[in-house]
Amino acid sequence: MINVTFVTIVASSYFLVVPGYEAGIEYVRQSATNVAFQYVVIHNRSIPTCEMMANHHTHLAAEYFYTRRQLGSFTIFIAPYCSQGELLDFAPLANQWNAPVMSIAGTNPSISDKSQYPTNLSVAPIHHTVLHMFLEQLFRHFKWTTIVLLCDDNMLVMYYRGVCTNLQALLRPPKYQLNTLKFDSSKIRPDYERHLKEFSRLARVAIILARPDVTRDFLVSAGKNGMSGNDYVYLHIQPYTLLPIFPSLVYSNGDGNDEIARSAFTSLFSITFDTERNIDLLPETSRRFILDRSEVIHNLTYQPNERLSQVALAAFESILLASQVIQESIDESGDLSDGRQFTRRFWNRTFNLPTGQLYINENGDRFPDIILRQWDAGKAVFETAMLFRSAERQLNVSRPEGVIWQGGTVPPNEPVCGFTGKNPICQPSGHSGIDR
């Protein structure tokens, strides 16, 4: 009998992934042969955020590895790693131990370098590299090169802070003209009007890197101040649904501005990773197991009609992936001691899971597809307009009409009169008739 121990070190804000891991272990135990699975959770409620966990993760992992690890058991560290600092600090130590690390939330281009980090895998339902490839093709498709990032510096939304940092490094001159406007929604209510006016002075395309409710407030302010419509484009990235950190993007919240938001959303595009449909394929027994364990054991209650988070599903899927490769390793060699050899078995292959197909690329990273959704004000829903196939690196139109522009044409990268309306050709000396 071969012993395998999964170890999760997790911040309080991501504790809902634990029932996902537990459901996965319960599922694979039914079919595993000659393998005994154990599961260890290391958790401290005084460490609520991913950024705080980054300061403690490596120490907690080392304390477990050197003092509590079961000798002879193959140890796999399997956790959200929702802060890039958390992942980058721990990866070198895990490599030294020759221990596999499976992330279900955090990704980093440096970690994808398997010459440096050969024991790291990402099965996250998101990926920064895929997002960058998608944005590159989207901007090329619509000929947009001048971009503003509206970045929330709130510590509770580490994902957006990470994306902001990455895009600042990737969208660089001379190809792009990029400006970044930062705010912190955790301290005071953002001055939406001031930030939008500064944005309009610099560009007409903005990526809002903030919670969906903050994004909605930006669009309400845009609608009130004449900064929506066909002249402006707002892109919002939704990594996954995870209450209360990442609620769904909706126009209505009963604050008296719902109709303004409904109209202004016509300038808003939603960017999501195409992993949500996998939730509907989750076996009912496993879904029920996650809900029951969440409520009865961990005091985490899902709201009525609330769907499972994609990261909870990724926790479940990561156990199934690991179990399949564990069984392959045992069947072929009977050996499960080399973490590097173990992780190589994941590379460049598509796994068939009960929740659908899951592709891991040649760097050991899950590469999900990305959906671009456009708002339909009449139906008050986002509808799929374009799909980015990550395996083929291809951006495709998802419906015959493609993206529908209110003015009939794609908003230009820069207005004819310039961002401030001061282009000389638009001055009163003979060109005053041009629409600014």
Side-chain angles (χ1 to χ4, degrees):
M1 183 68 69
I2 293 178
N3 294 312
V4 175
T5 303
F6 295 105
V7 179
T8 297
I9 303 172
V10 62
S12 296
S13 58
Y14 272 77
F15 198 77
L16 90 168
V17 304
V18 171
Y21 288 126
E22 293 172 330
I25 292 171
E26 184 72 14
Y27 186 92
V28 300
R29 277 176 175 161
Q30 299 174 21
S31 58
T33 58
N34 302 319
V35 184
F37 294 108
Q38 288 84 38
Y39 182 49
V40 174
V41 180
I42 300 173
H43 170 244
N44 188 327
R45 293 194 180 276
S46 66
I47 307 176
T49 68
C50 300
E51 190 164 81
M52 291 179 65
M53 179 56 76
N55 298 324
H56 298 277
H57 187 107
T58 299
H59 170 76
L60 293 171
E63 188 275 334
Y64 170 81
F65 190 84
Y66 290 119
T67 67
R68 293 194 286 140
R69 174 174 56 102
Q70 180 183 347
L71 296 179
S73 181
F74 186 62
T75 302
I76 303 174
F77 289 91
I78 191 162
Y81 299 101
C82 46
S83 162
Q84 294 198 42
E86 183 182 2
L87 191 59
L88 287 168
D89 285 348
F90 180 53
L93 188 58
N95 185 36
Q96 180 182 323
W97 293 339
N98 196 17
V101 177
M102 299 181 72
S103 167
I104 63 163
T107 66
N108 186 283
S110 299
I111 299 296
S112 298
D113 183 355
K114 289 301 173 282
S115 66
Q116 296 294 318
Y117 304 105
T119 65
N120 275 75
L121 299 164
S122 170
V123 295
I126 60 174
H127 203 288
H128 289 304
T129 300
V130 177
L131 177 62
H132 178 237
M133 291 191 300
F134 161 75
L135 290 174
E136 283 261 85
Q137 292 205 23
L138 183 73
F139 295 156
R140 187 186 312 124
H141 183 80
F142 292 122
K143 298 180 174 59
W144 296 329
T145 59
T146 305
I147 314 295
V148 161
L149 303 180
L150 292 166
C151 297
D152 194 345
D153 218 23
N154 185 344
M155 284 182 59
L156 291 176
V157 286
M158 284 299 301
Y159 172 77
Y160 291 121
R161 296 181 72 186
V163 173
C164 183
T165 300
N166 285 344
L167 291 183
Q168 285 176 305
L170 294 169
L171 302 178
R172 300 174 63 86
K175 190 173 184 179
Y176 296 100
Q177 296 300 316
L178 182 72
N179 287 277
T180 302
L181 305 177
K182 289 190 176 184
F183 57 93
D184 188 341
S185 65
S186 68
K187 294 182 178 178
I188 58 174
R189 177 180 171 82
D191 189 339
Y192 298 108
E193 183 176 348
R194 179 174 65 84
H195 289 303
L196 286 170
K197 285 182 178 178
E198 180 67 8
F199 152 59
S200 70
R201 190 181 67 81
L202 299 167
R204 287 297 182 268
V205 178
I207 304 175
I208 305 177
L209 298 172
R211 287 163 44 105
D213 52 326
V214 174
T215 296
R216 186 255 186 196
D217 288 343
F218 264 112
L219 268 294
V220 168
S221 183
K224 290 180 176 180
N225 290 281
M227 284 181 275
S228 60
N230 198 57
D231 292 333
Y232 293 85
V233 175
Y234 300 93
L235 303 170
H236 174 262
I237 301 166
Q238 177 90 7
Y240 37 75
T241 302
L242 175 64
L243 297 178
I245 304 174
F246 299 116
S248 297
L249 178 59
V250 295
Y251 81 95
S252 175
N253 72 2
D255 66 350
N257 293 315
D258 291 347
E259 289 308 310
I260 295 174
R262 181 170 181 158
S263 176
F265 268 31
T266 54
S267 298
L268 178 65
F269 291 83
S270 172
I271 298 169
T272 60
F273 292 87
D274 189 20
T275 55
E276 188 170 341
R277 59 186 174 182
N278 295 40
I279 298 172
D280 297 326
L281 300 175
L282 181 69
E284 178 59 24
T285 53
S286 297
R287 189 187 73 85
R288 198 67 257 165
F289 183 95
I290 293 173
L291 294 176
D292 291 345
R293 291 284 295 185
S294 297
E295 181 174 2
V296 177
I297 305 299
H298 302 300
N299 196 30
L300 298 168
T301 304
Y302 280 82
Q303 299 300 314
N305 301 319
E306 180 185 345
R307 291 166 61 81
L308 292 179
S309 169
Q310 289 96 318
V311 286
L313 180 68
F316 174 82
E317 293 172 326
S318 64
I319 297 292
L320 272 61
L321 291 172
S323 174
Q324 181 174 331
V325 174
I326 287 167
Q327 200 65 58
E328 291 172 359
S329 302
I330 294 172
D331 292 344
E332 291 181 17
S333 64
D335 179 54
L336 201 62
S337 59
D338 187 344
R340 293 175 180 82
Q341 182 60 38
F342 175 78
T343 56
R344 285 192 200 101
R345 290 180 176 272
F346 289 82
W347 298 356
N348 199 28
R349 62 184 289 191
T350 298
F351 292 83
N352 292 306
L353 303 181
T355 53
Q357 291 189 332
L358 195 154
Y359 169 63
I360 305 289
N361 75 358
E362 65 278 3
N363 294 319
D365 294 335
R366 178 182 186 176
F367 260 29
D369 296 338
I370 289 183
I371 295 173
L372 179 74
R373 291 189 172 99
Q374 181 176 26
W375 181 250
D376 185 318
K379 299 177 182 177
V381 294
F382 283 101
E383 295 191 333
T384 300
M386 304 186 82
L387 175 65
F388 178 71
R389 296 286 188 187
S390 61
E392 295 83 17
R393 311 320 198 241
Q394 184 70 44
L395 181 64
N396 299 314
V397 173
S398 297
R399 57 186 182 182
E401 62 271 34
V403 175
I404 302 171
W405 301 106
Q406 296 177 68
T409 59
V410 178
N413 182 65
E414 182 175 355
V416 173
C417 296
F419 296 120
T420 60
K422 295 181 179 179
N423 190 319
I425 68 170
C426 296
Q427 298 310 305
S429 57
H431 294 278
S432 58
I434 295 180
D435 185 4
R436 302 184 187 187

